Amino acid sequence: MAASTTVLILAAGQLPERQLGPAPLLHRHPLDLPAGSDLALQRISAHYRRHWPQAQLVAVIDAASRSHYPAALHQLDQLLTITPQPSINASLEAALQRIDAHEVVVNPITALPTATALPNCAVVLGDEALPRQNWSAFATPQPRGPSQLLSKLQPNQANEPASYPFTGLLSAPRATLLELLAQLSTNQRSDLAWTAALLLEQHHAQVVHTPWHDLGHRATYARSRRSQLVSRSHNRVVYDPAGDLISKRSSDLERLNAEATYLQTLPPRLRRHFPALLGLSEQQGLELEYVPFPSLAELYLHWQIGPEGWAGIWSRLAQILNELSNSSPAVIASCNWLYSHKLRQRLHQLDQQPPSPNWYQFWQQPLELNGRRLPSPAACAQATLAALAPLEASRPLQRIHGDLCFNNVLAEPLHAAVRLIDPRGEAAPDSDVPVGYGDPRYDLVKLLHSGCYGYDLAVHGLFTLTGDPARGWQARLYPPRQAEQVAAQLDGFVRSQGLTPEEERWLTASLFFSMLPLHSDSLQRQQMLTLIGCCISQQTFDLLLPCVAPSL
């Protein structure tokens, strides 16, 4: 791909009025289309930034249209607004007339790219023939032009052979695309595949076959979702289609073995709340049952399951936590290893390996945040440490999950079926405390930091943060429309479990400060998580929540 290439991410029009996942979409703008917990826009942008860092990324939207998550747009080089058009090819033509680029890659917002390189003139097809449904395809793997096109505008024929889906991606010189678009009939302009067919016929475009991950068709939703399994910095998660299972390997073997021990030592009746452990070896790592449910993070950010759907999940989760805590006798011991000891260790790590040369200035100076004066992050962290002491004295410790954030709770909202993944299996320093035991409040504040205090917004880039220690900071989180309703229900849930407001304040603040070294891949995210911790400790969290997401 040439340095002068522009990637046009087509996001004009509206999302189709159809269900593409576990529930109706929460937001209707194409830029808000989800891909797992992230937005499709974020995954598409990350792909091109990784493989073609010199390319210009331009999203094309209708004039006056509006995204609920404008914070994600910082990954773009340009947001191009056009007059609403009657068809996708008309939108493409309007966009091409507004940009100054020699080479162009066209990528609809619903298509997750997988090719790591593209010729300057190419049409991208799926890598396997599939029975055609509501998409366009080509009859052969190396089509020559329109005669091989099976347009989505024509119905499927009885006994139609499998064909190669058109992914929606193509590349060509800008002048070539404008020339071909002028040749299309009114009907053909409604299908981008006609432009691809003319590109093959008249300009001998190269056919590139890649895995097809498309978010715009219900038939391809499961395949696309499985392709988005997240591998974190210390582990690698892979889906095995032959066995319909998850293979999980990790550079942190101690943590991987602790998870295996946790699952192996669960009482039989509790094992149904977790994926089945199918194997453990040095070669394969953990082999686990694949559970095809979305996480609570996905449901919270992107899917409209309604108050009853959430109430069903909280009720089921309460039953699971009750079963965990009552599965064996409690042990009386201090839980300071979960809170103050961990926080001191992480703060020391942060001090020894500061994220940037200017970190100390950020950390030590009093904050000016959205026009409000707050103590320095260092002072807020020390206040948190002081407040933890009376909260972590000896108390009943029971079996807990140990990392119960929204990403580690999978739920099928229609039936309120819940599965827990990635239990910590962390061993307390006291040998009298069994593996997997801990403070039940730890699971509760983990849920709170996701559902009430913006953790999932921060880790998925749904925030804005500008400024510096000298001029002050402007920061905003962009919660989903259902955030207030979910937070109210979650507050009722944790109160029913016995958590007090004072425990919520300091235990949750300690989570945000202690996780900072774990997010060393993004300085801005570390700063945002720091500001959240400061606001929780100072009871000023409302500073970070906007009244209304601004218009584009």
Side-chain angles (χ1 to χ4, degrees), residues 350 353-364 469 523 526-527:
L350 200 65
Q353 299 176 320
S356 76
N358 298 325
W359 179 259
Y360 290 120
Q361 186 182 16
F362 168 73
W363 186 254
Q364 297 291 342
L523 173 61
Q526 285 179 308
Q527 292 173 325

Side-chain angles (χ1 to χ4, degrees), residues 331-350:
V331 175
I332 304 299
S334 169
C335 57
N336 54 15
W337 53 281
L338 272 175
Y339 302 113
S340 60
H341 285 191
K342 182 183 295 184
L343 179 53
R344 285 192 179 92
Q345 179 187 34
R346 297 281 176 77
L347 291 176
H348 177 72
Q349 185 179 345
L350 200 65

Side-chain angles (χ1 to χ4, degrees), residues 346-426:
R346 297 281 176 77
L347 291 176
H348 177 72
Q349 185 179 345
L350 200 65
D351 184 63
Q352 295 299 304
Q353 299 176 320
S356 76
N358 298 325
W359 179 259
Y360 290 120
Q361 186 182 16
F362 168 73
W363 186 254
Q364 297 291 342
Q365 286 193 5
L367 289 170
E368 185 79 24
L369 176 60
N370 295 341
R372 180 81 170 268
R373 190 80 167 173
L374 297 177
S376 69
C380 291
Q382 290 305 312
T384 301
L385 276 170
L388 288 176
L391 300 179
E392 55 189 13
S394 292
R395 57 183 295 108
L397 304 186
Q398 300 163 310
R399 181 177 277 111
I400 65 172
H401 177 279
D403 193 13
L404 202 64
C405 58
F406 273 17
N407 275 321
N408 289 339
V409 182
L410 307 183
E412 191 284 294
L414 183 61
H415 299 93
V418 171
R419 296 290 184 275
L420 309 183
I421 62 172
D422 292 347
R424 280 302 304 268
E426 191 171 0

Side-chain angles (χ1 to χ4, degrees), residues 10 87-93 96 106 121-123 136 138 144-146 149 151 166 168-185 187-205:
L10 299 181
S87 67
I88 186 170
N89 278 304
S91 293
L92 174 58
E93 186 173 35
L96 290 171
V106 178
C121 189
V123 172
S136 295
F138 288 88
R144 294 191 180 93
L149 175 60
S151 173
F166 172 53
L169 278 79
L170 54 85
S171 62
R174 171 179 171 274
T176 298
L177 289 174
L178 285 170
E179 169 199 329
L180 298 179
L181 288 167
Q183 300 177 32
L184 298 178
S185 68
N187 186 53
Q188 291 171 343
R189 292 174 78 82
S190 296
D191 186 357
L192 187 61
W194 276 104
T195 302
L198 293 181
L199 200 61
L200 291 164
E201 179 185 48
Q202 298 181 21
H203 294 272
H204 307 289

